[in-house]
Amino acid sequence: MVEVIEWVNPGEDEIVWRYPNEVIKWGAQLIVHEYEVAVFMRDGKIYDVLGPGRHTLTTQNLPLLYKLVGGSKSPFKATIIFVSTKQFQGRYGGETQTRELAPIKYYGVYWFKVADPVLFITEVVGGQSLYDASDVTRFIRAYFNEGMMKHLSAYSIVDLFQNLEMVSTQVKVKLMEDFRRLGLELVDVKIEGVNTTDEWRQRLFWLMQTGNAQAVMQMDTVKQVAAELGKSPGAGMGTGMVLVPQLFQQPAQPYAGGGVPPAGYQQPAQSEASTQPNQEICPYCGKPIPPGARFCPYCGKQIHRCPNGHIVPEGAKFCPVCGARIE
């Protein structure tokens, strides 16, 4: 009876399958379906690869193995691994930090396929001793996620929330190169969402409003210092608030002429244009809104403002821009 070697009814997510019998007879029938290849290994080395079709195993289509076994007509020992070359889909998600060390969570979907079966088996299946399909799938997902964490950490939190499409494209290019090293082709990547903590979401709002990271971090420092001063033993009522204006003062700019400024010299005032944002940003979805808008046209949330028209966070008692009390 002629031996038939075939991967029967592979699962939707199965990338590899190892034929269970390692003793192969010359003349056996090898059936390789479309979007599959059959790879012959022996002693950890790859010898012959056969593509789709019905193959009778002879000395002609297995020349390397034939030389290895010495041309004997008796059965020979080899490992046959079937590799699917169709496109697969995977989901990912994880946590990392941005360039400012802001914690973020991300998730999405990616599509890939095996482009070089020999390299794939060398680096993943044989190199990692992963012959089970589920183990291979877990390895690829972990490899992708590790790359995503590494590449996203090179961006700022504003990039991730304001230019996600650009970031997704650039990260995809970097991940494609990572996948090529495994014999895989990364077809596409989609970042479906990113998120951060409430604290960093507030910082993000002011970063997008002002475009001045130094001022935002200074605001955080002021709040922390004021809170600590207010808790200090012997501190009077409002001690922290008294020092807040001093902490917000900008350092004096050096005299342009060098040396000691002449009598009557006054520090040039900062222009109003440099302190006013050019575009108002919704604090909930981060998208630009029309000047003076009462509701965001994208997420529908109500925009809270102080009496002077500045956008303030929900629940705020004072405007962080002008200090006006919010009733």
Side-chain angles (χ1 to χ4, degrees):
M1 185 177 180
V2 177
E3 179 183 11
V4 177
I5 303 171
E6 180 183 11
W7 188 3
V8 180
N9 297 325
E12 183 179 350
D13 297 325
E14 288 187 282
I15 303 174
V16 298
W17 178 71
R18 179 170 61 172
Y19 183 61
N21 188 3
E22 293 191 346
V23 178
I24 312 300
K25 297 178 181 179
W26 292 106
Q29 295 293 303
L30 174 69
I31 300 175
V32 183
H33 297 278
E34 190 177 5
Y35 299 110
E36 291 178 4
V37 295
V39 180
F40 288 76
M41 297 181 64
R42 181 172 169 133
D43 301 325
K45 293 180 61 177
I46 296 176
Y47 286 90
D48 296 293
V49 180
L50 296 181
R54 178 183 285 269
H55 307 275
T56 300
L57 301 184
T58 65
T59 59
Q60 293 182 346
N61 52 28
L62 297 178
L64 299 179
L65 271 175
Y66 180 72
K67 290 180 181 179
L68 181 66
V69 299
S72 172
K73 296 295 183 179
S74 61
F76 62 94
K77 188 174 182 179
T79 300
I80 303 178
I81 299 176
F82 287 82
V83 180
S84 175
T85 57
K86 71 176 186 178
Q87 183 172 298
F88 293 90
Q89 177 182 351
R91 300 202 65 87
Y92 67 90
E95 300 180 17
T96 187
Q97 291 181 325
T98 64
R99 202 165 54 206
E100 308 93 343
L101 303 183
I104 61 166
K105 294 181 180 181
Y106 59 89
Y107 63 93
V109 62
Y110 62 102
W111 294 266
F112 69 97
K113 63 181 180 179
V114 177
D116 186 337
V118 173
L119 181 59
F120 175 68
I121 289 181
T122 302
E123 294 294 327
V124 179
V125 180
Q128 304 291 329
S129 298
L130 303 176
Y131 295 98
D132 183 77
S134 59
D135 290 338
V136 173
T137 300
R138 280 194 292 269
F139 173 84
I140 294 175
R141 185 186 299 115
Y143 183 82
F144 178 92
N145 214 37
E146 181 180 347
M148 180 65 76
M149 292 171 61
K150 176 181 69 175
H151 297 312
L152 285 182
S153 65
Y155 292 89
S156 70
I157 190 169
V158 174
D159 286 335
L160 290 177
F161 282 84
Q162 197 171 31
N163 303 305
L164 187 57
E165 185 175 351
M166 175 203 72
V167 172
S168 182
T169 300
Q170 294 178 356
V171 169
K172 173 188 172 181
V173 172
K174 296 174 184 177
L175 287 170
M176 287 173 66
E177 184 61 33
D178 295 339
F179 266 50
R180 287 193 189 100
R181 300 190 186 103
L182 301 182
L184 296 170
E185 177 186 346
L186 186 61
V187 179
D188 200 6
V189 177
K190 182 179 181 182
I191 301 178
E192 295 181 331
V194 292
N195 203 354
T196 187
T197 61
D198 291 340
E199 176 187 2
W200 272 96
R201 201 174 292 111
Q202 288 288 335
R203 291 178 181 174
L204 174 64
F205 166 66
W206 292 113
L207 280 170
M208 296 173 73
Q209 282 283 90
T210 65
N212 190 336
Q214 182 178 1
V216 173
M217 299 309 292
Q218 183 184 33
M219 184 185 300
D220 285 343
T221 302
V222 168
K223 289 190 292 186
Q224 294 172 10
V225 171
E228 291 302 317
L229 287 173
K231 294 187 295 184
S232 300
M237 181 70 69
T239 301
M241 295 306 296
V242 171
L243 293 177
V244 165
Q246 300 176 35
L247 293 170
F248 264 122
Q249 288 179 356
Q250 296 294 324
Q253 298 296 319
Y255 171 54
V260 180
Y265 171 78
Q266 292 185 351
Q267 178 73 20
Q270 187 176 9
S271 65
E272 184 178 352
S274 65
T275 60
Q276 294 296 324
N278 295 323
Q279 175 67 63
E280 291 188 331
I281 303 296
C282 173
Y284 302 99
C285 66
K287 294 185 177 181
I289 59 176
R294 297 180 57 191
F295 293 88
C296 175
Y298 299 99
C299 67
K301 295 290 185 66
Q302 182 179 359
I303 305 300
H304 299 274
R305 297 178 181 274
C306 76
N308 295 320
H310 300 124
I311 297 179
V312 297
E314 184 177 0
K317 296 182 179 179
F318 295 90
C319 176
V321 177
C322 65
R325 184 180 182 88
I326 302 172
E327 299 297 338

